Amino acid sequence: MRAKRCVRTWLGLLLGMTVTVLGALTPSALAGANGPAPPSPAGPPAPDTTVPRLARLWPVGLRPSVLRGWDPPATPYARGHRGVDLAAPPGTPVRSVAPGRVSFAGRVAGRGVVAVELTDTGAPPLRTTFTPVRATVHQGDEVAAGEVLGTLEPGDAHCGTSCLHWGLRRDRTYLNPLALLPPWLLHRGLSRLLPVTSAQRQPSGSLALLP
């Protein structure tokens, strides 16, 4: 009987000491004793909004007027302008601004659309879109910078006058297509005629055209 009472006494003392020690430990100490906490789940990666200046020319003309600039919407479904409008007459050739692959060439809601995935622009790649365009290329075609994709269609009410709507996207994120243009293309001034000196005079005696 005495031995049993001793065993119960020692068990009670051990239990009391265990409760006391655990109660004194802080939550951080308990977490350290159980190993590092599992990492919190990360959200989806932010979309890459960088745009390399890889364009080699404007999609229409040499330096078209921008009738309406890029005005990104505050939310995916809000009002805004998801591209730029470039002035050009119907029948103007529409060209790829950089090398890529035609990802779509067809009609959407009655309007001709051509989309080009640009080469070496990451995953998912940058994709340029052009509308309204009567396509002369097909889905899957590889195109070079300056290659004709089609001709500008007439009768588009988007601008109130004849224009090309030029867009740029990475996955579902709309970007500014003008950011593809290097400064020398974006801000190039008009050519001007200057007086010709004897050193500049051509054999024919014509004026020299200087940038």
Side-chain angles (χ1 to χ4, degrees):
M1 294 295 293
R2 183 178 298 175
K4 291 181 179 179
R5 283 197 298 271
C6 290
V7 170
R8 286 197 296 269
T9 301
W10 279 106
L11 288 175
L13 289 173
L14 287 174
L15 180 61
M17 292 175 63
T18 302
V19 171
T20 302
V21 171
L22 291 177
L25 289 175
T26 62
S28 59
L30 288 173
N34 294 328
S40 57
D48 183 7
T49 57
T50 57
V51 179
R53 295 186 179 274
L54 48 78
R56 296 294 175 263
L57 71 166
W58 289 80
V60 288
L62 295 178
R63 179 64 172 87
S65 298
V66 178
L67 300 178
R68 186 179 178 189
W70 184 62
D71 182 19
T75 65
Y77 302 102
R79 293 177 62 86
H81 195 232
R82 298 166 173 83
V84 296
D85 295 335
L86 306 178
T92 299
V94 178
R95 303 177 184 274
S96 180
V97 299
R101 183 184 65 86
V102 178
S103 58
F104 181 83
R107 307 198 73 79
V108 177
R111 305 171 74 206
V113 179
V114 176
V116 178
E117 291 182 350
L118 302 182
T119 303
D120 297 330
T121 54
L126 290 172
R127 183 175 64 174
T128 55
T129 57
F130 310 93
T131 188
V133 176
R134 187 176 303 278
T136 55
V137 292
H138 302 88
Q139 184 173 345
D141 287 352
E142 298 288 336
V143 293
E147 188 165 342
V148 175
L149 306 173
T151 56
L152 187 64
E153 292 183 328
D156 185 65
H158 176 76
C159 301
T161 185
S162 180
C163 77
L164 174 76
H165 180 78
W166 179 24
L168 178 67
R169 291 175 58 179
R170 188 186 295 279
D171 196 16
R172 298 184 179 181
T173 302
Y174 289 89
L175 303 168
N176 185 1
L178 294 182
L180 289 168
L181 297 170
W184 66 269
L185 263 178
L186 191 60
H187 304 297
R188 184 174 61 186
L190 297 176
S191 297
R192 62 191 184 278
L193 288 172
L194 296 178
V196 178
T197 66
S198 58
Q200 294 173 322
R201 186 172 298 278
Q202 305 298 314
S204 61
S206 61
L207 293 178
L209 184 63
L210 300 178

PDB file of all heavy atoms in Angstrom, residues 97-127:
ATOM      1  N   VAL A  97       5.071  45.299 -86.301  1.00  0.00           N
ATOM      2  CA  VAL A  97       6.095  46.226 -85.808  1.00  0.00           C
ATOM      3  C   VAL A  97       7.365  45.513 -85.372  1.00  0.00           C
ATOM      4  O   VAL A  97       8.405  46.145 -85.174  1.00  0.00           O
ATOM      5  CB  VAL A  97       5.541  47.067 -84.635  1.00  0.00           C
ATOM      6  CG1 VAL A  97       4.352  47.893 -85.093  1.00  0.00           C
ATOM      7  CG2 VAL A  97       5.161  46.184 -83.436  1.00  0.00           C
ATOM      8  N   ALA A  98       7.300  44.172 -85.202  1.00  0.00           N
ATOM      9  CA  ALA A  98       8.446  43.393 -84.744  1.00  0.00           C
ATOM     10  C   ALA A  98       8.229  41.942 -85.182  1.00  0.00           C
ATOM     11  O   ALA A  98       7.113  41.559 -85.552  1.00  0.00           O
ATOM     12  CB  ALA A  98       8.585  43.495 -83.223  1.00  0.00           C
ATOM     13  N   PRO A  99       9.272  41.119 -85.136  1.00  0.00           N
ATOM     14  CA  PRO A  99       9.100  39.717 -85.518  1.00  0.00           C
ATOM     15  C   PRO A  99       8.154  38.993 -84.572  1.00  0.00           C
ATOM     16  O   PRO A  99       8.073  39.297 -83.375  1.00  0.00           O
ATOM     17  CB  PRO A  99      10.520  39.145 -85.413  1.00  0.00           C
ATOM     18  CG  PRO A  99      11.430  40.321 -85.419  1.00  0.00           C
ATOM     19  CD  PRO A  99      10.667  41.440 -84.797  1.00  0.00           C
ATOM     20  N   GLY A 100       7.423  38.021 -85.133  1.00  0.00           N
ATOM     21  CA  GLY A 100       6.510  37.249 -84.295  1.00  0.00           C
ATOM     22  C   GLY A 100       5.761  36.195 -85.083  1.00  0.00           C
ATOM     23  O   GLY A 100       6.136  35.853 -86.209  1.00  0.00           O
ATOM     24  N   ARG A 101       4.704  35.695 -84.467  1.00  0.00           N
ATOM     25  CA  ARG A 101       3.860  34.659 -85.081  1.00  0.00           C
ATOM     26  C   ARG A 101       2.413  35.096 -85.005  1.00  0.00           C
ATOM     27  O   ARG A 101       1.952  35.567 -83.961  1.00  0.00           O
ATOM     28  CB  ARG A 101       4.034  33.322 -84.333  1.00  0.00           C
ATOM     29  CG  ARG A 101       3.247  32.158 -84.944  1.00  0.00           C
ATOM     30  CD  ARG A 101       3.400  30.906 -84.080  1.00  0.00           C
ATOM     31  NE  ARG A 101       2.784  31.115 -82.763  1.00  0.00           N
ATOM     32  CZ  ARG A 101       1.494  30.897 -82.520  1.00  0.00           C
ATOM     33  NH1 ARG A 101       0.680  30.479 -83.477  1.00  0.00           N
ATOM     34  NH2 ARG A 101       1.017  31.094 -81.308  1.00  0.00           N
ATOM     35  N   VAL A 102       1.702  34.959 -86.106  1.00  0.00           N
ATOM     36  CA  VAL A 102       0.286  35.336 -86.141  1.00  0.00           C
ATOM     37  C   VAL A 102      -0.508  34.347 -85.280  1.00  0.00           C
ATOM     38  O   VAL A 102      -0.537  33.152 -85.560  1.00  0.00           O
ATOM     39  CB  VAL A 102      -0.244  35.342 -87.582  1.00  0.00           C
ATOM     40  CG1 VAL A 102      -1.739  35.685 -87.601  1.00  0.00           C
ATOM     41  CG2 VAL A 102       0.538  36.329 -88.442  1.00  0.00           C
ATOM     42  N   SER A 103      -1.128  34.868 -84.211  1.00  0.00           N
ATOM     43  CA  SER A 103      -1.921  34.011 -83.324  1.00  0.00           C
ATOM     44  C   SER A 103      -3.406  34.054 -83.663  1.00  0.00           C
ATOM     45  O   SER A 103      -4.161  33.180 -83.229  1.00  0.00           O
ATOM     46  CB  SER A 103      -1.705  34.417 -81.862  1.00  0.00           C
ATOM     47  OG  SER A 103      -2.061  35.776 -81.650  1.00  0.00           O
ATOM     48  N   PHE A 104      -3.827  35.066 -84.431  1.00  0.00           N
ATOM     49  CA  PHE A 104      -5.222  35.138 -84.863  1.00  0.00           C
ATOM     50  C   PHE A 104      -5.306  36.023 -86.091  1.00  0.00           C
ATOM     51  O   PHE A 104      -4.637  37.062 -86.183  1.00  0.00           O
ATOM     52  CB  PHE A 104      -6.116  35.723 -83.768  1.00  0.00           C
ATOM     53  CG  PHE A 104      -7.575  35.796 -84.160  1.00  0.00           C
ATOM     54  CD1 PHE A 104      -8.391  34.683 -84.035  1.00  0.00           C
ATOM     55  CD2 PHE A 104      -8.116  36.966 -84.680  1.00  0.00           C
ATOM     56  CE1 PHE A 104      -9.738  34.744 -84.414  1.00  0.00           C
ATOM     57  CE2 PHE A 104      -9.447  37.041 -85.056  1.00  0.00           C
ATOM     58  CZ  PHE A 104     -10.263  35.910 -84.930  1.00  0.00           C
ATOM     59  N   ALA A 105      -6.117  35.588 -87.048  1.00  0.00           N
ATOM     60  CA  ALA A 105      -6.413  36.400 -88.234  1.00  0.00           C
ATOM     61  C   ALA A 105      -7.819  36.034 -88.677  1.00  0.00           C
ATOM     62  O   ALA A 105      -8.046  34.944 -89.193  1.00  0.00           O
ATOM     63  CB  ALA A 105      -5.394  36.143 -89.344  1.00  0.00           C
ATOM     64  N   GLY A 106      -8.759  36.932 -88.428  1.00  0.00           N
ATOM     65  CA  GLY A 106     -10.152  36.629 -88.745  1.00  0.00           C
ATOM     66  C   GLY A 106     -11.043  37.792 -88.381  1.00  0.00           C
ATOM     67  O   GLY A 106     -10.583  38.941 -88.293  1.00  0.00           O
ATOM     68  N   ARG A 107     -12.313  37.487 -88.144  1.00  0.00           N
ATOM     69  CA  ARG A 107     -13.294  38.537 -87.868  1.00  0.00           C
ATOM     70  C   ARG A 107     -13.905  38.312 -86.486  1.00  0.00           C
ATOM     71  O   ARG A 107     -14.201  37.182 -86.095  1.00  0.00           O
ATOM     72  CB  ARG A 107     -14.369  38.570 -88.955  1.00  0.00           C
ATOM     73  CG  ARG A 107     -13.803  38.666 -90.367  1.00  0.00           C
ATOM     74  CD  ARG A 107     -14.831  39.128 -91.359  1.00  0.00           C
ATOM     75  NE  ARG A 107     -15.144  40.554 -91.226  1.00  0.00           N
ATOM     76  CZ  ARG A 107     -14.371  41.532 -91.699  1.00  0.00           C
ATOM     77  NH1 ARG A 107     -13.240  41.258 -92.329  1.00  0.00           N
ATOM     78  NH2 ARG A 107     -14.747  42.787 -91.555  1.00  0.00           N
ATOM     79  N   VAL A 108     -14.058  39.415 -85.765  1.00  0.00           N
ATOM     80  CA  VAL A 108     -14.683  39.416 -84.450  1.00  0.00           C
ATOM     81  C   VAL A 108     -15.755  40.491 -84.478  1.00  0.00           C
ATOM     82  O   VAL A 108     -15.450  41.677 -84.697  1.00  0.00           O
ATOM     83  CB  VAL A 108     -13.660  39.688 -83.330  1.00  0.00           C
ATOM     84  CG1 VAL A 108     -14.378  39.759 -81.978  1.00  0.00           C
ATOM     85  CG2 VAL A 108     -12.584  38.628 -83.310  1.00  0.00           C
ATOM     86  N   ALA A 109     -17.019  40.092 -84.261  1.00  0.00           N
ATOM     87  CA  ALA A 109     -18.148  41.027 -84.304  1.00  0.00           C
ATOM     88  C   ALA A 109     -18.161  41.824 -85.601  1.00  0.00           C
ATOM     89  O   ALA A 109     -18.446  43.030 -85.609  1.00  0.00           O
ATOM     90  CB  ALA A 109     -18.109  41.957 -83.092  1.00  0.00           C
ATOM     91  N   GLY A 110     -17.831  41.173 -86.700  1.00  0.00           N
ATOM     92  CA  GLY A 110     -17.873  41.816 -88.000  1.00  0.00           C
ATOM     93  C   GLY A 110     -16.658  42.635 -88.359  1.00  0.00           C
ATOM     94  O   GLY A 110     -16.599  43.193 -89.458  1.00  0.00           O
ATOM     95  N   ARG A 111     -15.681  42.738 -87.483  1.00  0.00           N
ATOM     96  CA  ARG A 111     -14.482  43.550 -87.737  1.00  0.00           C
ATOM     97  C   ARG A 111     -13.285  42.631 -87.942  1.00  0.00           C
ATOM     98  O   ARG A 111     -13.103  41.637 -87.229  1.00  0.00           O
ATOM     99  CB  ARG A 111     -14.213  44.506 -86.578  1.00  0.00           C
ATOM    100  CG  ARG A 111     -15.384  45.400 -86.226  1.00  0.00           C
ATOM    101  CD  ARG A 111     -15.109  46.156 -84.947  1.00  0.00           C
ATOM    102  NE  ARG A 111     -14.154  47.229 -85.137  1.00  0.00           N
ATOM    103  CZ  ARG A 111     -13.380  47.704 -84.168  1.00  0.00           C
ATOM    104  NH1 ARG A 111     -13.420  47.180 -82.972  1.00  0.00           N
ATOM    105  NH2 ARG A 111     -12.550  48.691 -84.413  1.00  0.00           N
ATOM    106  N   GLY A 112     -12.439  42.980 -88.909  1.00  0.00           N
ATOM    107  CA  GLY A 112     -11.233  42.208 -89.141  1.00  0.00           C
ATOM    108  C   GLY A 112     -10.192  42.451 -88.066  1.00  0.00           C
ATOM    109  O   GLY A 112      -9.912  43.604 -87.709  1.00  0.00           O
ATOM    110  N   VAL A 113      -9.617  41.378 -87.532  1.00  0.00           N
ATOM    111  CA  VAL A 113      -8.634  41.469 -86.449  1.00  0.00           C
ATOM    112  C   VAL A 113      -7.435  40.595 -86.794  1.00  0.00           C
ATOM    113  O   VAL A 113      -7.596  39.460 -87.249  1.00  0.00           O
ATOM    114  CB  VAL A 113      -9.224  41.023 -85.097  1.00  0.00           C
ATOM    115  CG1 VAL A 113      -8.163  41.095 -83.991  1.00  0.00           C
ATOM    116  CG2 VAL A 113     -10.438  41.855 -84.725  1.00  0.00           C
ATOM    117  N   VAL A 114      -6.236  41.135 -86.564  1.00  0.00           N
ATOM    118  CA  VAL A 114      -5.008  40.364 -86.671  1.00  0.00           C
ATOM    119  C   VAL A 114      -4.251  40.531 -85.360  1.00  0.00           C
ATOM    120  O   VAL A 114      -4.103  41.655 -84.856  1.00  0.00           O
ATOM    121  CB  VAL A 114      -4.131  40.826 -87.846  1.00  0.00           C
ATOM    122  CG1 VAL A 114      -2.813  40.047 -87.868  1.00  0.00           C
ATOM    123  CG2 VAL A 114      -4.862  40.637 -89.174  1.00  0.00           C
ATOM    124  N   ALA A 115      -3.783  39.414 -84.797  1.00  0.00           N
ATOM    125  CA  ALA A 115      -2.990  39.440 -83.565  1.00  0.00           C
ATOM    126  C   ALA A 115      -1.660  38.740 -83.819  1.00  0.00           C
ATOM    127  O   ALA A 115      -1.620  37.705 -84.485  1.00  0.00           O
ATOM    128  CB  ALA A 115      -3.739  38.761 -82.425  1.00  0.00           C
ATOM    129  N   VAL A 116      -0.584  39.316 -83.293  1.00  0.00           N
ATOM    130  CA  VAL A 116       0.759  38.772 -83.480  1.00  0.00           C
ATOM    131  C   VAL A 116       1.426  38.616 -82.124  1.00  0.00           C
ATOM    132  O   VAL A 116       1.520  39.591 -81.358  1.00  0.00           O
ATOM    133  CB  VAL A 116       1.618  39.691 -84.382  1.00  0.00           C
ATOM    134  CG1 VAL A 116       3.034  39.130 -84.513  1.00  0.00           C
ATOM    135  CG2 VAL A 116       0.984  39.841 -85.757  1.00  0.00           C
ATOM    136  N   GLU A 117       1.876  37.394 -81.805  1.00  0.00           N
ATOM    137  CA  GLU A 117       2.672  37.150 -80.601  1.00  0.00           C
ATOM    138  C   GLU A 117       4.122  37.473 -80.917  1.00  0.00           C
ATOM    139  O   GLU A 117       4.712  36.890 -81.831  1.00  0.00           O
ATOM    140  CB  GLU A 117       2.523  35.699 -80.146  1.00  0.00           C
ATOM    141  CG  GLU A 117       1.147  35.361 -79.620  1.00  0.00           C
ATOM    142  CD  GLU A 117       1.054  33.927 -79.124  1.00  0.00           C
ATOM    143  OE1 GLU A 117       2.014  33.149 -79.374  1.00  0.00           O
ATOM    144  OE2 GLU A 117       0.039  33.581 -78.499  1.00  0.00           O
ATOM    145  N   LEU A 118       4.704  38.407 -80.172  1.00  0.00           N
ATOM    146  CA  LEU A 118       6.044  38.895 -80.477  1.00  0.00           C
ATOM    147  C   LEU A 118       7.114  37.931 -79.953  1.00  0.00           C
ATOM    148  O   LEU A 118       7.010  37.409 -78.842  1.00  0.00           O
ATOM    149  CB  LEU A 118       6.237  40.286 -79.874  1.00  0.00           C
ATOM    150  CG  LEU A 118       5.227  41.343 -80.352  1.00  0.00           C
ATOM    151  CD1 LEU A 118       5.540  42.688 -79.729  1.00  0.00           C
ATOM    152  CD2 LEU A 118       5.210  41.437 -81.872  1.00  0.00           C
ATOM    153  N   THR A 119       8.132  37.727 -80.759  1.00  0.00           N
ATOM    154  CA  THR A 119       9.190  36.764 -80.453  1.00  0.00           C
ATOM    155  C   THR A 119      10.046  37.223 -79.273  1.00  0.00           C
ATOM    156  O   THR A 119      10.351  38.412 -79.135  1.00  0.00           O
ATOM    157  CB  THR A 119      10.081  36.572 -81.695  1.00  0.00           C
ATOM    158  OG1 THR A 119       9.262  36.156 -82.790  1.00  0.00           O
ATOM    159  CG2 THR A 119      11.160  35.534 -81.448  1.00  0.00           C
ATOM    160  N   ASP A 120      10.431  36.247 -78.425  1.00  0.00           N
ATOM    161  CA  ASP A 120      11.356  36.483 -77.303  1.00  0.00           C
ATOM    162  C   ASP A 120      10.877  37.585 -76.371  1.00  0.00           C
ATOM    163  O   ASP A 120      11.640  38.483 -75.979  1.00  0.00           O
ATOM    164  CB  ASP A 120      12.762  36.822 -77.826  1.00  0.00           C
ATOM    165  CG  ASP A 120      13.387  35.673 -78.610  1.00  0.00           C
ATOM    166  OD1 ASP A 120      13.073  34.513 -78.310  1.00  0.00           O
ATOM    167  OD2 ASP A 120      14.192  35.957 -79.527  1.00  0.00           O
ATOM    168  N   THR A 121       9.610  37.527 -76.013  1.00  0.00           N
ATOM    169  CA  THR A 121       9.062  38.521 -75.077  1.00  0.00           C
ATOM    170  C   THR A 121       8.518  37.862 -73.812  1.00  0.00           C
ATOM    171  O   THR A 121       7.672  38.425 -73.137  1.00  0.00           O
ATOM    172  CB  THR A 121       7.969  39.374 -75.746  1.00  0.00           C
ATOM    173  OG1 THR A 121       6.960  38.516 -76.310  1.00  0.00           O
ATOM    174  CG2 THR A 121       8.548  40.252 -76.836  1.00  0.00           C
ATOM    175  N   GLY A 122       9.012  36.664 -73.473  1.00  0.00           N
ATOM    176  CA  GLY A 122       8.634  36.030 -72.218  1.00  0.00           C
ATOM    177  C   GLY A 122       7.440  35.116 -72.358  1.00  0.00           C
ATOM    178  O   GLY A 122       6.951  34.839 -73.453  1.00  0.00           O
ATOM    179  N   ALA A 123       6.993  34.600 -71.209  1.00  0.00           N
ATOM    180  CA  ALA A 123       5.853  33.690 -71.162  1.00  0.00           C
ATOM    181  C   ALA A 123       4.881  34.165 -70.072  1.00  0.00           C
ATOM    182  O   ALA A 123       5.274  34.266 -68.912  1.00  0.00           O
ATOM    183  CB  ALA A 123       6.308  32.263 -70.862  1.00  0.00           C
ATOM    184  N   PRO A 124       3.620  34.441 -70.466  1.00  0.00           N
ATOM    185  CA  PRO A 124       3.109  34.466 -71.838  1.00  0.00           C
ATOM    186  C   PRO A 124       3.706  35.631 -72.619  1.00  0.00           C
ATOM    187  O   PRO A 124       4.071  36.650 -72.037  1.00  0.00           O
ATOM    188  CB  PRO A 124       1.604  34.633 -71.646  1.00  0.00           C
ATOM    189  CG  PRO A 124       1.465  35.332 -70.342  1.00  0.00           C
ATOM    190  CD  PRO A 124       2.576  34.828 -69.480  1.00  0.00           C
ATOM    191  N   PRO A 125       3.806  35.492 -73.959  1.00  0.00           N
ATOM    192  CA  PRO A 125       4.449  36.539 -74.749  1.00  0.00           C
ATOM    193  C   PRO A 125       3.575  37.774 -74.888  1.00  0.00           C
ATOM    194  O   PRO A 125       2.367  37.723 -74.674  1.00  0.00           O
ATOM    195  CB  PRO A 125       4.654  35.852 -76.107  1.00  0.00           C
ATOM    196  CG  PRO A 125       3.538  34.855 -76.177  1.00  0.00           C
ATOM    197  CD  PRO A 125       3.347  34.354 -74.771  1.00  0.00           C
ATOM    198  N   LEU A 126       4.215  38.869 -75.246  1.00  0.00           N
ATOM    199  CA  LEU A 126       3.461  40.067 -75.606  1.00  0.00           C
ATOM    200  C   LEU A 126       2.713  39.799 -76.912  1.00  0.00           C
ATOM    201  O   LEU A 126       3.221  39.125 -77.816  1.00  0.00           O
ATOM    202  CB  LEU A 126       4.399  41.255 -75.793  1.00  0.00           C
ATOM    203  CG  LEU A 126       5.058  41.814 -74.537  1.00  0.00           C
ATOM    204  CD1 LEU A 126       6.110  42.854 -74.914  1.00  0.00           C
ATOM    205  CD2 LEU A 126       4.034  42.427 -73.594  1.00  0.00           C
ATOM    206  N   ARG A 127       1.503  40.342 -77.008  1.00  0.00           N
ATOM    207  CA  ARG A 127       0.689  40.138 -78.206  1.00  0.00           C
ATOM    208  C   ARG A 127       0.144  41.482 -78.673  1.00  0.00           C
ATOM    209  O   ARG A 127      -0.506  42.198 -77.918  1.00  0.00           O
ATOM    210  CB  ARG A 127      -0.467  39.181 -77.913  1.00  0.00           C
ATOM    211  CG  ARG A 127      -1.306  38.864 -79.146  1.00  0.00           C
ATOM    212  CD  ARG A 127      -2.366  37.837 -78.849  1.00  0.00           C
ATOM    213  NE  ARG A 127      -3.341  38.321 -77.895  1.00  0.00           N
ATOM    214  CZ  ARG A 127      -4.438  37.652 -77.551  1.00  0.00           C
ATOM    215  NH1 ARG A 127      -4.659  36.451 -78.054  1.00  0.00           N
ATOM    216  NH2 ARG A 127      -5.281  38.167 -76.682  1.00  0.00           N
TER     217      ARG A 127
END
